[in-house]
Amino acid sequence: MMKFTVKSRGDDFSNTLQQRVMSYLLDFGLIHDEKDPEMVITIGGDGTLLQAFHDYSDRLEDTAFVGIHTGHLGFYADWVPDEVEKLVIHIAKTPYQIVEYPLLEVVIRHIDQKEPERLLALNECTIKSMEGSLVSSVEIKGDTFEIFRGDGLCISTPSGSTAYNKALGGAILHPSLASIQVAEMASINNRVYRTVGSPLVLPQHHTCLLKPLNEREVQVTIDHYTLEHRRVKSIQCRVAEEKVRFARFRPFPFWKRVKESFIGGS
Ligand code: NAP
């Protein structure tokens, strides 16, 4: 029997729905296993799914995610509360399809630390200076591409391209494109300082290496987490070998999802 867990955003409505989904699935004979679930059902919004992804990022190969959205945008969540009974029957009774989306691998190297830090992002990694402008060299596939000076840089996955990246004028990418996108945050462009100014989409085999050039503290975010790093030597970004797996019980084409989330209408 399949092992599952249900994660809630924590508001009263999501918590009540969480209890309902749990008891339905237990009635069907499925096993609740918070530690090693094969399926993680999130109830809330994308933030809830991002949290669940990080909770289980050490066992992505054995975990499938499915989202129910309760009020928020819910770009990652296919189901609404009225459909809970239907979803539970699907989970308990029908074989489901798995869709896999690419992730971003971030390797942070420190000046005074031997071991690099390796992290995975479902949406993006951002790099900003804690004070003043970020000054960073941007290397692509081993060659210096530009010296960036500005608010920061955002490196996103294709499924994260509809999140922060979109607000920065980045393109929306279909998640079948195993790629990462580098988008600028308010770069300084004048006679003295110059960057390309356009978002860049890199394929799977191209690495983007950022080396902060000023002494300032660097702030790195990975999805909804904020990390502060004082003495960063480099931040290396590329498409990860790992993928995130979503359980699909009915077709929900990516562009339909984009339309419903950002344009609306029928
Ligand atoms: P939040 O600031 O509470 O919410 C961020 C918003 O982005 C929520 O409406 C969320 O949807 C939505 N969202 C998350 N992932 C998405 C995706 N892949 N596609 C489309 N929309 C998405 O922050 P949070 O809930 O902790 O989420 C962290 C994310 O916020 C970061 O990964 C970053 O992408 C995003 N963010 C965006 C901006 C910006 O657009 N200017 C600035 C900072 C951070 P739900 O309402 O369903 O949760």
Side-chain angles (χ1 to χ4, degrees), residues 196-234:
V196 69
S198 305
L200 306 174
V201 178
L202 307 186
Q204 197 156 16
H205 57 292
H206 288 196
T207 298
C208 176
L209 188 70
L210 309 174
K211 289 183 182 159
L213 298 178
N214 45 357
E215 289 292 304
R216 294 195 177 107
E217 222 174 299
V218 179
Q219 177 189 286
V220 181
T221 69
I222 302 284
D223 298 338
H224 55 303
Y225 289 113
T226 301
L227 325 163
E228 276 175 35
H229 291 273
R230 274 176 198 277
R231 292 167 64 77
V232 169
K233 193 154 87 185
S234 67

mmCIF file of all heavy atoms in Angstrom, residues 196-234:
data_model
loop_
_atom_site.group_PDB
_atom_site.id
_atom_site.type_symbol
_atom_site.label_atom_id
_atom_site.label_comp_id
_atom_site.label_asym_id
_atom_site.label_seq_id
_atom_site.Cartn_x
_atom_site.Cartn_y
_atom_site.Cartn_z
ATOM 1 N N VAL A 196 24.685 42.783 -20.355
ATOM 2 C CA VAL A 196 23.930 42.461 -21.572
ATOM 3 C C VAL A 196 22.499 43.013 -21.496
ATOM 4 O O VAL A 196 21.895 43.332 -22.519
ATOM 5 C CB VAL A 196 23.975 40.933 -21.848
ATOM 6 C CG1 VAL A 196 23.179 40.152 -20.824
ATOM 7 C CG2 VAL A 196 23.507 40.592 -23.251
ATOM 8 N N GLY A 197 21.942 43.066 -20.290
ATOM 9 C CA GLY A 197 20.616 43.684 -20.135
ATOM 10 C C GLY A 197 19.445 42.763 -20.431
ATOM 11 O O GLY A 197 18.316 43.060 -20.052
ATOM 12 N N SER A 198 19.672 41.660 -21.092
ATOM 13 C CA SER A 198 18.582 40.721 -21.417
ATOM 14 C C SER A 198 18.721 39.463 -20.566
ATOM 15 O O SER A 198 19.836 39.059 -20.255
ATOM 16 C CB SER A 198 18.673 40.259 -22.877
ATOM 17 O OG SER A 198 18.695 41.343 -23.735
ATOM 18 N N PRO A 199 17.601 38.813 -20.254
ATOM 19 C CA PRO A 199 17.701 37.522 -19.569
ATOM 20 C C PRO A 199 18.384 36.501 -20.482
ATOM 21 O O PRO A 199 18.227 36.552 -21.707
ATOM 22 C CB PRO A 199 16.238 37.127 -19.332
ATOM 23 C CG PRO A 199 15.457 38.377 -19.522
ATOM 24 C CD PRO A 199 16.210 39.227 -20.487
ATOM 25 N N LEU A 200 19.161 35.618 -19.891
ATOM 26 C CA LEU A 200 19.876 34.589 -20.666
ATOM 27 C C LEU A 200 19.332 33.213 -20.303
ATOM 28 O O LEU A 200 19.152 32.926 -19.121
ATOM 29 C CB LEU A 200 21.378 34.601 -20.332
ATOM 30 C CG LEU A 200 22.126 35.915 -20.476
ATOM 31 C CD1 LEU A 200 23.556 35.751 -19.960
ATOM 32 C CD2 LEU A 200 22.149 36.365 -21.946
ATOM 33 N N VAL A 201 19.112 32.378 -21.298
ATOM 34 C CA VAL A 201 18.666 31.004 -21.041
ATOM 35 C C VAL A 201 19.817 30.070 -21.396
ATOM 36 O O VAL A 201 20.306 30.081 -22.526
ATOM 37 C CB VAL A 201 17.402 30.662 -21.864
ATOM 38 C CG1 VAL A 201 16.978 29.211 -21.609
ATOM 39 C CG2 VAL A 201 16.263 31.611 -21.519
ATOM 40 N N LEU A 202 20.264 29.311 -20.395
ATOM 41 C CA LEU A 202 21.413 28.416 -20.604
ATOM 42 C C LEU A 202 20.956 26.970 -20.663
ATOM 43 O O LEU A 202 20.099 26.557 -19.881
ATOM 44 C CB LEU A 202 22.426 28.547 -19.466
ATOM 45 C CG LEU A 202 22.936 29.940 -19.106
ATOM 46 C CD1 LEU A 202 24.049 29.824 -18.056
ATOM 47 C CD2 LEU A 202 23.455 30.687 -20.314
ATOM 48 N N PRO A 203 21.545 26.182 -21.562
ATOM 49 C CA PRO A 203 21.185 24.770 -21.641
ATOM 50 C C PRO A 203 21.810 23.960 -20.506
ATOM 51 O O PRO A 203 22.626 24.486 -19.733
ATOM 52 C CB PRO A 203 21.754 24.335 -22.986
ATOM 53 C CG PRO A 203 22.910 25.241 -23.207
ATOM 54 C CD PRO A 203 22.570 26.545 -22.561
ATOM 55 N N GLN A 204 21.455 22.694 -20.494
ATOM 56 C CA GLN A 204 21.842 21.789 -19.405
ATOM 57 C C GLN A 204 23.350 21.736 -19.156
ATOM 58 O O GLN A 204 23.779 21.639 -18.023
ATOM 59 C CB GLN A 204 21.343 20.399 -19.785
ATOM 60 C CG GLN A 204 21.292 19.448 -18.647
ATOM 61 C CD GLN A 204 20.291 18.349 -18.908
ATOM 62 O OE1 GLN A 204 19.860 18.129 -20.049
ATOM 63 N NE2 GLN A 204 19.909 17.650 -17.884
ATOM 64 N N HIS A 205 24.141 21.788 -20.216
ATOM 65 C CA HIS A 205 25.572 21.580 -20.059
ATOM 66 C C HIS A 205 26.353 22.883 -19.866
ATOM 67 O O HIS A 205 27.573 22.874 -19.902
ATOM 68 C CB HIS A 205 26.116 20.774 -21.247
ATOM 69 C CG HIS A 205 25.842 21.424 -22.573
ATOM 70 N ND1 HIS A 205 24.578 21.535 -23.089
ATOM 71 C CD2 HIS A 205 26.663 22.025 -23.461
ATOM 72 C CE1 HIS A 205 24.637 22.170 -24.246
ATOM 73 N NE2 HIS A 205 25.888 22.475 -24.494
ATOM 74 N N HIS A 206 25.664 24.008 -19.669
ATOM 75 C CA HIS A 206 26.357 25.274 -19.438
ATOM 76 C C HIS A 206 26.220 25.702 -17.980
ATOM 77 O O HIS A 206 25.115 25.718 -17.438
ATOM 78 C CB HIS A 206 25.788 26.380 -20.334
ATOM 79 C CG HIS A 206 26.163 26.220 -21.770
ATOM 80 N ND1 HIS A 206 26.043 27.230 -22.684
ATOM 81 C CD2 HIS A 206 26.660 25.158 -22.449
ATOM 82 C CE1 HIS A 206 26.446 26.797 -23.874
ATOM 83 N NE2 HIS A 206 26.823 25.541 -23.751
ATOM 84 N N THR A 207 27.354 26.044 -17.389
ATOM 85 C CA THR A 207 27.358 26.455 -15.979
ATOM 86 C C THR A 207 27.506 27.967 -15.897
ATOM 87 O O THR A 207 28.244 28.569 -16.683
ATOM 88 C CB THR A 207 28.556 25.771 -15.268
ATOM 89 O OG1 THR A 207 28.340 24.364 -15.340
ATOM 90 C CG2 THR A 207 28.667 26.177 -13.822
ATOM 91 N N CYS A 208 26.800 28.566 -14.955
ATOM 92 C CA CYS A 208 26.945 30.003 -14.710
ATOM 93 C C CYS A 208 27.642 30.170 -13.363
ATOM 94 O O CYS A 208 27.165 29.649 -12.344
ATOM 95 C CB CYS A 208 25.560 30.645 -14.688
ATOM 96 S SG CYS A 208 25.601 32.379 -14.279
ATOM 97 N N LEU A 209 28.778 30.842 -13.371
ATOM 98 C CA LEU A 209 29.557 31.018 -12.141
ATOM 99 C C LEU A 209 29.602 32.502 -11.780
ATOM 100 O O LEU A 209 30.027 33.330 -12.592
ATOM 101 C CB LEU A 209 30.977 30.480 -12.354
ATOM 102 C CG LEU A 209 31.855 30.416 -11.118
ATOM 103 C CD1 LEU A 209 31.381 29.328 -10.165
ATOM 104 C CD2 LEU A 209 33.311 30.146 -11.511
ATOM 105 N N LEU A 210 29.158 32.811 -10.586
ATOM 106 C CA LEU A 210 29.146 34.202 -10.125
ATOM 107 C C LEU A 210 30.232 34.364 -9.072
ATOM 108 O O LEU A 210 30.302 33.559 -8.134
ATOM 109 C CB LEU A 210 27.784 34.541 -9.509
ATOM 110 C CG LEU A 210 26.568 34.206 -10.372
ATOM 111 C CD1 LEU A 210 25.288 34.437 -9.605
ATOM 112 C CD2 LEU A 210 26.579 35.033 -11.656
ATOM 113 N N LYS A 211 31.074 35.385 -9.241
ATOM 114 C CA LYS A 211 32.121 35.643 -8.251
ATOM 115 C C LYS A 211 31.966 37.074 -7.753
ATOM 116 O O LYS A 211 32.304 38.020 -8.502
ATOM 117 C CB LYS A 211 33.505 35.461 -8.881
ATOM 118 C CG LYS A 211 33.849 34.005 -9.174
ATOM 119 C CD LYS A 211 35.269 33.922 -9.722
ATOM 120 C CE LYS A 211 35.664 32.518 -10.089
ATOM 121 N NZ LYS A 211 36.782 32.493 -11.039
ATOM 122 N N PRO A 212 31.445 37.253 -6.541
ATOM 123 C CA PRO A 212 31.305 38.617 -6.005
ATOM 124 C C PRO A 212 32.662 39.302 -5.937
ATOM 125 O O PRO A 212 33.647 38.693 -5.498
ATOM 126 C CB PRO A 212 30.731 38.392 -4.596
ATOM 127 C CG PRO A 212 30.140 37.029 -4.623
ATOM 128 C CD PRO A 212 30.963 36.231 -5.591
ATOM 129 N N LEU A 213 32.730 40.553 -6.390
ATOM 130 C CA LEU A 213 34.018 41.236 -6.467
ATOM 131 C C LEU A 213 34.217 42.255 -5.356
ATOM 132 O O LEU A 213 35.330 42.654 -5.093
ATOM 133 C CB LEU A 213 34.179 41.918 -7.831
ATOM 134 C CG LEU A 213 34.169 40.970 -9.040
ATOM 135 C CD1 LEU A 213 34.276 41.763 -10.329
ATOM 136 C CD2 LEU A 213 35.300 39.957 -8.954
ATOM 137 N N ASN A 214 33.121 42.685 -4.731
ATOM 138 C CA ASN A 214 33.335 43.611 -3.611
ATOM 139 C C ASN A 214 33.311 42.827 -2.305
ATOM 140 O O ASN A 214 32.864 41.688 -2.247
ATOM 141 C CB ASN A 214 32.322 44.775 -3.621
ATOM 142 C CG ASN A 214 30.903 44.314 -3.878
ATOM 143 O OD1 ASN A 214 30.659 43.142 -4.105
ATOM 144 N ND2 ASN A 214 29.974 45.233 -3.844
ATOM 145 N N GLU A 215 33.771 43.459 -1.282
ATOM 146 C CA GLU A 215 33.976 42.785 0.007
ATOM 147 C C GLU A 215 32.671 42.587 0.767
ATOM 148 O O GLU A 215 32.652 41.978 1.813
ATOM 149 C CB GLU A 215 34.928 43.633 0.873
ATOM 150 C CG GLU A 215 36.351 43.616 0.358
ATOM 151 C CD GLU A 215 37.009 42.257 0.512
ATOM 152 O OE1 GLU A 215 37.048 41.766 1.634
ATOM 153 O OE2 GLU A 215 37.466 41.682 -0.486
ATOM 154 N N ARG A 216 31.613 43.116 0.220
ATOM 155 C CA ARG A 216 30.380 43.191 1.009
ATOM 156 C C ARG A 216 29.747 41.825 1.254
ATOM 157 O O ARG A 216 29.975 40.872 0.535
ATOM 158 C CB ARG A 216 29.375 44.092 0.298
ATOM 159 C CG ARG A 216 29.854 45.516 0.250
ATOM 160 C CD ARG A 216 28.709 46.431 -0.118
ATOM 161 N NE ARG A 216 29.168 47.805 -0.083
ATOM 162 C CZ ARG A 216 29.384 48.529 -1.164
ATOM 163 N NH1 ARG A 216 29.188 48.024 -2.346
ATOM 164 N NH2 ARG A 216 29.798 49.762 -1.057
ATOM 165 N N GLU A 217 28.909 41.810 2.252
ATOM 166 C CA GLU A 217 28.138 40.624 2.593
ATOM 167 C C GLU A 217 27.191 40.285 1.433
ATOM 168 O O GLU A 217 26.601 41.189 0.847
ATOM 169 C CB GLU A 217 27.276 40.997 3.796
ATOM 170 C CG GLU A 217 27.185 39.962 4.860
ATOM 171 C CD GLU A 217 26.435 40.523 6.044
ATOM 172 O OE1 GLU A 217 26.912 41.508 6.619
ATOM 173 O OE2 GLU A 217 25.374 39.981 6.336
ATOM 174 N N VAL A 218 27.067 39.032 1.119
ATOM 175 C CA VAL A 218 26.188 38.642 0.020
ATOM 176 C C VAL A 218 24.979 37.918 0.595
ATOM 177 O O VAL A 218 25.111 37.086 1.482
ATOM 178 C CB VAL A 218 26.932 37.699 -0.954
ATOM 179 C CG1 VAL A 218 26.020 37.270 -2.088
ATOM 180 C CG2 VAL A 218 28.159 38.375 -1.522
ATOM 181 N N GLN A 219 23.814 38.263 0.074
ATOM 182 C CA GLN A 219 22.607 37.557 0.499
ATOM 183 C C GLN A 219 22.177 36.607 -0.613
ATOM 184 O O GLN A 219 22.016 37.024 -1.762
ATOM 185 C CB GLN A 219 21.483 38.545 0.790
ATOM 186 C CG GLN A 219 20.188 37.855 1.173
ATOM 187 C CD GLN A 219 19.028 38.808 1.238
ATOM 188 O OE1 GLN A 219 18.907 39.595 2.171
ATOM 189 N NE2 GLN A 219 18.188 38.777 0.226
ATOM 190 N N VAL A 220 22.033 35.352 -0.276
ATOM 191 C CA VAL A 220 21.610 34.353 -1.258
ATOM 192 C C VAL A 220 20.242 33.846 -0.831
ATOM 193 O O VAL A 220 20.030 33.553 0.342
ATOM 194 C CB VAL A 220 22.614 33.169 -1.295
ATOM 195 C CG1 VAL A 220 22.192 32.135 -2.330
ATOM 196 C CG2 VAL A 220 24.027 33.658 -1.591
ATOM 197 N N THR A 221 19.314 33.771 -1.774
ATOM 198 C CA THR A 221 18.037 33.116 -1.454
ATOM 199 C C THR A 221 17.909 31.869 -2.311
ATOM 200 O O THR A 221 18.380 31.839 -3.460
ATOM 201 C CB THR A 221 16.799 34.025 -1.684
ATOM 202 O OG1 THR A 221 16.646 34.234 -3.099
ATOM 203 C CG2 THR A 221 16.910 35.350 -0.974
ATOM 204 N N ILE A 222 17.321 30.849 -1.702
ATOM 205 C CA ILE A 222 16.975 29.621 -2.423
ATOM 206 C C ILE A 222 15.482 29.455 -2.199
ATOM 207 O O ILE A 222 15.048 29.229 -1.056
ATOM 208 C CB ILE A 222 17.739 28.390 -1.867
ATOM 209 C CG1 ILE A 222 19.249 28.583 -1.932
ATOM 210 C CG2 ILE A 222 17.288 27.097 -2.544
ATOM 211 C CD1 ILE A 222 19.892 28.430 -3.296
ATOM 212 N N ASP A 223 14.694 29.635 -3.235
ATOM 213 C CA ASP A 223 13.232 29.630 -3.107
ATOM 214 C C ASP A 223 12.804 30.578 -1.985
ATOM 215 O O ASP A 223 13.145 31.754 -2.048
ATOM 216 C CB ASP A 223 12.713 28.195 -2.911
ATOM 217 C CG ASP A 223 13.049 27.318 -4.143
ATOM 218 O OD1 ASP A 223 13.261 27.886 -5.219
ATOM 219 O OD2 ASP A 223 13.118 26.088 -4.001
ATOM 220 N N HIS A 224 12.136 30.080 -0.953
ATOM 221 C CA HIS A 224 11.662 30.987 0.102
ATOM 222 C C HIS A 224 12.665 31.128 1.253
ATOM 223 O O HIS A 224 12.385 31.798 2.234
ATOM 224 C CB HIS A 224 10.306 30.503 0.630
ATOM 225 C CG HIS A 224 10.317 29.082 1.101
ATOM 226 N ND1 HIS A 224 10.702 28.039 0.291
ATOM 227 C CD2 HIS A 224 10.028 28.538 2.293
ATOM 228 C CE1 HIS A 224 10.631 26.917 0.973
ATOM 229 N NE2 HIS A 224 10.229 27.190 2.199
ATOM 230 N N TYR A 225 13.837 30.501 1.141
ATOM 231 C CA TYR A 225 14.845 30.609 2.200
ATOM 232 C C TYR A 225 15.835 31.730 1.911
ATOM 233 O O TYR A 225 16.284 31.871 0.778
ATOM 234 C CB TYR A 225 15.652 29.315 2.303
ATOM 235 C CG TYR A 225 14.876 28.154 2.862
ATOM 236 C CD1 TYR A 225 14.569 27.057 2.064
ATOM 237 C CD2 TYR A 225 14.457 28.148 4.192
ATOM 238 C CE1 TYR A 225 13.854 25.982 2.573
ATOM 239 C CE2 TYR A 225 13.747 27.076 4.712
ATOM 240 C CZ TYR A 225 13.453 25.998 3.897
ATOM 241 O OH TYR A 225 12.744 24.948 4.399
ATOM 242 N N THR A 226 16.221 32.456 2.942
ATOM 243 C CA THR A 226 17.262 33.473 2.804
ATOM 244 C C THR A 226 18.495 33.033 3.580
ATOM 245 O O THR A 226 18.387 32.690 4.757
ATOM 246 C CB THR A 226 16.762 34.829 3.351
ATOM 247 O OG1 THR A 226 15.597 35.194 2.614
ATOM 248 C CG2 THR A 226 17.815 35.916 3.184
ATOM 249 N N LEU A 227 19.641 33.019 2.906
ATOM 250 C CA LEU A 227 20.889 32.660 3.552
ATOM 251 C C LEU A 227 21.798 33.885 3.492
ATOM 252 O O LEU A 227 21.790 34.622 2.504
ATOM 253 C CB LEU A 227 21.591 31.506 2.817
ATOM 254 C CG LEU A 227 20.731 30.412 2.176
ATOM 255 C CD1 LEU A 227 21.550 29.632 1.173
ATOM 256 C CD2 LEU A 227 20.203 29.484 3.241
ATOM 257 N N GLU A 228 22.564 34.105 4.515
ATOM 258 C CA GLU A 228 23.530 35.212 4.485
ATOM 259 C C GLU A 228 24.925 34.620 4.442
ATOM 260 O O GLU A 228 25.232 33.714 5.194
ATOM 261 C CB GLU A 228 23.392 36.075 5.724
ATOM 262 C CG GLU A 228 22.306 37.094 5.588
ATOM 263 C CD GLU A 228 22.107 37.868 6.865
ATOM 264 O OE1 GLU A 228 23.098 38.114 7.562
ATOM 265 O OE2 GLU A 228 20.951 38.201 7.149
ATOM 266 N N HIS A 229 25.721 35.112 3.545
ATOM 267 C CA HIS A 229 27.075 34.582 3.407
ATOM 268 C C HIS A 229 28.059 35.723 3.415
ATOM 269 O O HIS A 229 27.980 36.610 2.583
ATOM 270 C CB HIS A 229 27.204 33.805 2.086
ATOM 271 C CG HIS A 229 26.428 32.539 2.087
ATOM 272 N ND1 HIS A 229 26.929 31.370 2.566
ATOM 273 C CD2 HIS A 229 25.176 32.275 1.694
ATOM 274 C CE1 HIS A 229 26.026 30.428 2.453
ATOM 275 N NE2 HIS A 229 24.941 30.954 1.930
ATOM 276 N N ARG A 230 28.999 35.679 4.344
ATOM 277 C CA ARG A 230 29.940 36.790 4.443
ATOM 278 C C ARG A 230 31.072 36.716 3.422
ATOM 279 O O ARG A 230 31.317 37.634 2.696
ATOM 280 C CB ARG A 230 30.516 36.865 5.853
ATOM 281 C CG ARG A 230 29.628 37.666 6.739
ATOM 282 C CD ARG A 230 30.059 37.705 8.155
ATOM 283 N NE ARG A 230 28.932 38.120 8.962
ATOM 284 C CZ ARG A 230 28.589 39.383 9.128
ATOM 285 N NH1 ARG A 230 29.286 40.340 8.583
ATOM 286 N NH2 ARG A 230 27.547 39.699 9.847
ATOM 287 N N ARG A 231 31.733 35.603 3.371
ATOM 288 C CA ARG A 231 32.934 35.536 2.531
ATOM 289 C C ARG A 231 32.744 34.485 1.437
ATOM 290 O O ARG A 231 33.262 33.377 1.514
ATOM 291 C CB ARG A 231 34.158 35.242 3.403
ATOM 292 C CG ARG A 231 34.474 36.430 4.329
ATOM 293 C CD ARG A 231 35.439 36.084 5.408
ATOM 294 N NE ARG A 231 36.751 35.712 4.908
ATOM 295 C CZ ARG A 231 37.666 36.569 4.476
ATOM 296 N NH1 ARG A 231 37.395 37.844 4.447
ATOM 297 N NH2 ARG A 231 38.822 36.148 4.055
ATOM 298 N N VAL A 232 31.987 34.885 0.435
ATOM 299 C CA VAL A 232 31.678 33.958 -0.651
ATOM 300 C C VAL A 232 32.722 34.093 -1.759
ATOM 301 O O VAL A 232 33.005 35.190 -2.228
ATOM 302 C CB VAL A 232 30.263 34.233 -1.206
ATOM 303 C CG1 VAL A 232 30.015 33.469 -2.495
ATOM 304 C CG2 VAL A 232 29.220 33.858 -0.179
ATOM 305 N N LYS A 233 33.264 32.967 -2.156
ATOM 306 C CA LYS A 233 34.216 32.979 -3.277
ATOM 307 C C LYS A 233 33.445 32.899 -4.593
ATOM 308 O O LYS A 233 33.682 33.668 -5.515
ATOM 309 C CB LYS A 233 35.166 31.780 -3.136
ATOM 310 C CG LYS A 233 36.373 31.850 -4.025
ATOM 311 C CD LYS A 233 37.528 31.070 -3.430
ATOM 312 C CE LYS A 233 37.436 29.619 -3.862
ATOM 313 N NZ LYS A 233 38.419 28.750 -3.267
ATOM 314 N N SER A 234 32.521 31.954 -4.668
ATOM 315 C CA SER A 234 31.751 31.819 -5.907
ATOM 316 C C SER A 234 30.430 31.106 -5.665
ATOM 317 O O SER A 234 30.272 30.369 -4.690
ATOM 318 C CB SER A 234 32.565 31.036 -6.942
ATOM 319 O OG SER A 234 32.735 29.705 -6.505
#
